[in-house]
Amino acid sequence: MKAGAKGTGSAGSKGKGGGKITKKFIINASQPASDKIFDVSAFEKFLHEKIKVDNRVGNLGDTVQISQQGEGKIEVVAHTQFSGRYLKYLTKKFLKKQQLRDWLRVVSTSQGVYELRFFNVANDEADEDDE
């Protein structure tokens, strides 16, 4: 009974909110970009093409802005309901397309910040030496 009342209250508060939602996400790909493995501009173009707004691809308009911030960082600012997990999903999809998914992983370092890191292969090399 408490859970139902709680759910109703949160749904009502979403409808009443007249203020604009603004969410900011940062994808930090500086480590692979400095090693010349990851093309940040191609990734930015991929995001422009693939992000869906209102269930339509290429419908960004003014609601979602994508820009490069410095060396290897991409900032996504959304003025609508937007999920960080969706951004992580698209990043993984890009890595798979570029055949980099075996070497890079997407890690959330803090809220709204995702970082591309290399898998630790030091342990694998030690295991191979033992054989």
Side-chain angles (χ1 to χ4, degrees):
M1 193 166 184
K2 286 182 180 179
K6 195 174 190 179
T8 308
S10 65
S13 63
K14 284 182 184 176
K16 291 178 188 174
K20 226 176 187 183
I21 303 168
T22 301
K23 291 190 173 186
K24 182 178 168 184
F25 299 97
I26 294 174
I27 301 172
N28 185 0
S30 54
Q31 192 179 12
S34 64
D35 290 345
K36 306 277 192 283
I37 291 176
F38 190 80
D39 187 7
V40 181
S41 57
F43 179 54
E44 183 183 9
K45 184 175 182 274
F46 176 82
L47 289 177
H48 273 286
E49 293 170 355
K50 297 290 182 179
I51 287 182
K52 286 185 177 182
V53 177
D54 297 329
N55 294 327
R56 298 181 72 195
V57 176
N59 189 23
L60 294 181
D62 294 333
T63 54
V64 178
Q65 284 110 22
I66 304 168
S67 60
Q68 284 192 32
Q69 300 290 324
E71 183 66 33
K73 287 188 180 181
I74 290 185
E75 182 182 57
V76 179
V77 179
H79 300 294
T80 182
Q81 196 67 28
F82 198 80
S83 170
R85 298 284 282 168
Y86 180 56
L87 216 51
K88 185 175 181 177
Y89 160 76
L90 286 175
T91 306
K92 287 178 168 183
K93 192 171 181 176
F94 179 77
L95 290 174
K96 186 72 175 173
K97 186 178 172 187
Q98 300 294 320
Q99 297 173 345
L100 295 171
R101 189 82 174 90
D102 296 335
W103 292 279
L104 294 171
R105 65 188 187 137
V106 186
V107 180
S108 177
T109 53
S110 64
Q111 188 172 359
V113 179
Y114 291 94
E115 186 176 337
L116 295 180
R117 291 186 182 169
F118 289 102
F119 281 112
N120 277 348
V121 291
N123 295 339
D124 296 341
E125 291 171 4
D127 293 340
E128 290 174 8
D129 291 341
D130 292 342
E131 292 177 6

